[in-house]
Amino acid sequence: MRRILRKIRRRFAKPTPPPPPPPFRHEYKRTWEALAETEDTAKMAVSGYLDEGMYRSHGLKTKGLLEDTVGLKADDEILEIGAGVGRVGAVLAPVCKRWVGADVSSRMVEHMRRRLAAFPNVEAVEISGHDLAPIPDASLDLVYCTVVFMHLEEWERYRYVREAFRVLRPGGRLLVDNVNALDDAGWAFFEHLLSFPPESRPPFVSKTSTPQELVNYLTRAGFEAIGQRGFELFIVVHGVKP
């Protein structure tokens, strides 16, 4: 009897609906809003750790990279694309005229505002994930985007380079980076992510670049004096708006 009842229940039970598919890679806002529900989940999503000492240390490392490549000036007005919770802004705000952190997630923007509230020269701006529409033309001296291109499709990478050209003043500088697919450490990174089955690959999974790709974006957007350098497993490319 019990066996018969189980068969009946299975035969007429309401089928369980399949789980909703994960968001597509281009749904940047939906993806990062979900990942940034709390400050801790936001920090884990952008860096993989919570330790504030490490946050400051890595922020200082990025500051040093900017100093060594595009330079930092006391009167600079600076924009970070994909600023997350303001890791780099915390070390740049004290040494520049104005620092603007732009992020696709409204939750990230709120975390950033709260964490950097002590700095009167900081602004946090929500963007669409495809452009820098809230930023006026020719209003900035330096734009940088670090550890972000890995989460973007190639079209958005180039869109942000073009948008950086728009919002920079003549003589303004741009710096972008991504994991270098032509470097041995970068290729090991690529092969590690190859282990994800295609059907379970998360929409924010990291993708690599080649130096030629990033140089091509800056060249076609109109930048000049384009340079590049390796930085750990990353390729860093920078240029100047004529």
Side-chain angles (χ1 to χ4, degrees):
M1 176 62 72
R2 288 178 182 175
R3 187 167 59 251
I4 294 171
L5 287 173
R6 283 198 298 270
K7 288 182 178 179
I8 292 173
R9 290 192 190 105
R10 285 198 297 267
R11 174 67 178 81
F12 295 102
K14 185 178 180 181
T16 303
F24 292 108
R25 188 174 180 83
H26 70 271
E27 294 185 280
Y28 306 115
K29 190 173 290 290
R30 178 181 166 193
T31 296
W32 289 96
E33 289 285 34
L35 292 170
E37 184 174 3
T38 68
E39 183 175 314
D40 280 356
T41 62
K43 288 170 70 177
M44 288 299 295
V46 300
S47 65
Y49 54 84
L50 300 176
D51 183 76
E52 287 293 335
M54 291 178 65
Y55 256 73
R56 179 160 182 81
S57 174
H58 288 191
L60 288 169
K61 188 179 291 189
T62 301
K63 176 176 177 283
L65 174 65
L66 292 167
E67 289 171 332
D68 292 344
T69 51
V70 293
L72 292 173
K73 305 172 186 177
D75 61 350
D76 274 342
E77 298 186 69
I78 300 174
L79 169 70
E80 178 176 353
I81 302 171
V85 298
R87 172 179 59 90
V88 183
V91 297
L92 291 188
V95 300
C96 69
K97 180 179 180 181
R98 181 169 68 112
W99 182 87
V100 182
D103 202 276
V104 68
S105 164
S106 64
R107 289 172 170 171
M108 287 285 192
V109 168
E110 287 306 311
H111 300 321
M112 190 190 328
R113 283 184 181 138
R114 184 173 57 254
R115 288 172 59 87
L116 304 183
F119 300 106
N121 62 335
V122 161
E123 298 175 28
V125 177
E126 183 181 350
I127 54 176
S128 68
H130 306 280
D131 57 39
L132 299 173
I135 311 298
D137 294 357
S139 61
L140 297 162
D141 303 295
L142 171 61
V143 176
Y144 67 94
C145 183
T146 182
V147 201
V148 171
F149 273 20
M150 60 176 58
H151 301 301
L152 303 178
E153 295 282 16
E154 291 81 352
W155 301 283
E156 276 68 64
R157 296 173 187 175
Y158 181 53
R159 279 194 176 107
Y160 279 130
V161 171
R162 288 194 312 186
E163 281 286 84
F165 191 89
R166 176 183 68 80
V167 304
L168 283 169
R169 301 179 175 116
R173 298 98 70 202
L174 170 68
L175 179 144
V176 299
D177 68 19
N178 199 4
V179 175
N180 184 1
L182 299 187
D183 176 81
D184 287 345
W187 187 252
F189 178 88
F190 174 90
E191 289 197 316
H192 169 69
L193 296 174
L194 185 64
S195 64
F196 277 100
E199 66 275 8
S200 61
R201 200 176 284 147
F204 54 89
V205 70
S206 298
K207 293 174 67 176
T208 58
S209 289
T210 64
Q212 294 90 334
E213 176 197 349
L214 301 186
V215 168
N216 186 41
Y217 294 158
L218 269 69
T219 302
R220 293 186 180 275
F223 286 93
E224 297 180 350
I226 297 170
Q228 59 178 283
R229 61 168 287 185
F231 184 69
E232 298 175 350
L233 73 165
F234 285 79
I235 179 65
V236 177
V237 176
H238 50 89
V240 178
K241 178 177 177 177

